[in-house]
Amino acid sequence: MASEHSEAIGDTSALALKILVAGGFGVGKTTLVGAVSEIRPLRTEELLSRAGLQVDDTGGVDRKSTTTVAMDFGRITIRSGLSLYLFGTPGQDRFWFLWDELAQGALGAVILADTRRLEDCFPAVDYFERRRIPFVVAVNCFPGARAYGAHDVSRALDLDPGTPVVLCDARDRDSGKDVLIRLVEYAGRMHTARLLDSVV
């Protein structure tokens, strides 16, 4: 009986947080979710069609042959009692109607950036700033891309002071996990500050 009670307590003390992984087309969102997920990730990828090529800017990602049409989903346990549920958003403008649904209840977001197509980040930055959803910008360091420091990227994106910018490799599990930990810490500070502001 006691063990059943302790198991029930353990279940209620477990914390699951919802995180979005956003960014432009072909920036590595599906790759990041797949790299860090401890379960087989759910993917909704479809082959790029000729019709899609008329509206999707594939410059810089010429070899990309598929695109996410709804979302990616994965899960990672950061530590005992703390799991993150990852929702990768579609990158193209025509799928943005899905973002409002995916953003419901999210603790925060990772915005993946590619320095070769940095302007693709602006819509995601604007989206999360308008909704006051904490986010970090994770620069996916593609081979052959010019290297920029975090300060340079922050200035180019005109980010609010204190918004974290980190360098990562979306293919590497440890690198992706470090990004997620940084987001959870930052979002926790932001939510705590807002809570304190509301009671002062």
Side-chain angles (χ1 to χ4, degrees):
M1 186 75 170
S3 64
E4 290 178 5
H5 181 64
S6 62
E7 285 177 12
I9 292 174
D11 289 342
T12 58
S13 65
L15 184 60
L17 303 174
K18 181 179 184 181
I19 302 295
L20 298 187
V21 180
F25 177 65
V27 77
K29 301 179 294 294
T30 298
T31 300
L32 177 67
V33 172
V36 301
S37 182
E38 63 200 14
I39 62 172
R40 183 177 180 183
L42 167 69
R43 293 180 173 150
T44 58
E45 288 197 306
E46 294 291 339
L47 289 172
L48 288 172
S49 65
R50 288 183 181 173
L53 291 175
Q54 305 292 326
V55 292
D56 295 328
D57 178 11
T58 57
V61 287
D62 305 327
R63 291 184 292 180
K64 185 170 174 59
S65 61
T66 61
T67 185
T68 298
V69 295
M71 67 172 186
D72 300 309
F73 174 77
R75 185 190 72 212
I76 179 173
T77 301
I78 296 295
R79 59 172 170 75
S80 178
L82 175 60
S83 296
L84 305 182
Y85 288 88
L86 309 175
F87 292 81
T89 64
Q92 300 98 311
D93 294 353
R94 66 183 186 278
F95 296 126
W96 269 50
F97 65 92
L98 295 168
W99 281 46
D100 289 338
E101 288 293 325
L102 292 175
Q104 290 290 327
L107 173 78
V110 172
I111 300 177
L112 274 176
D114 178 351
T115 57
R116 300 168 302 179
R117 298 158 53 105
L118 199 56
E119 66 279 2
D120 291 357
C121 287
F122 283 113
V125 169
D126 290 343
Y127 182 91
F128 294 118
E129 283 184 344
R130 283 198 313 268
R131 287 159 182 79
R132 302 186 72 217
I133 297 174
F135 65 89
V136 301
V137 173
V139 179
N140 192 7
C141 298
F142 286 91
R146 184 175 171 188
Y148 291 91
H151 178 71
D152 294 328
V153 173
S154 178
R155 192 169 54 190
L157 293 174
D158 193 27
L159 298 177
D160 290 338
T163 303
V165 176
V166 295
L167 307 181
C168 75
D169 182 343
R171 304 166 298 180
D172 183 77
R173 187 176 196 275
D174 289 337
S175 181
K177 186 175 180 180
D178 288 344
V179 170
L180 294 170
I181 291 171
R182 184 77 178 270
L183 171 64
V184 170
E185 292 172 347
Y186 174 66
R189 292 195 302 271
M190 292 293 289
H191 286 293
T192 299
R194 289 171 186 170
L195 183 62
L196 291 174
D197 286 344
S198 70
V199 297
V200 171

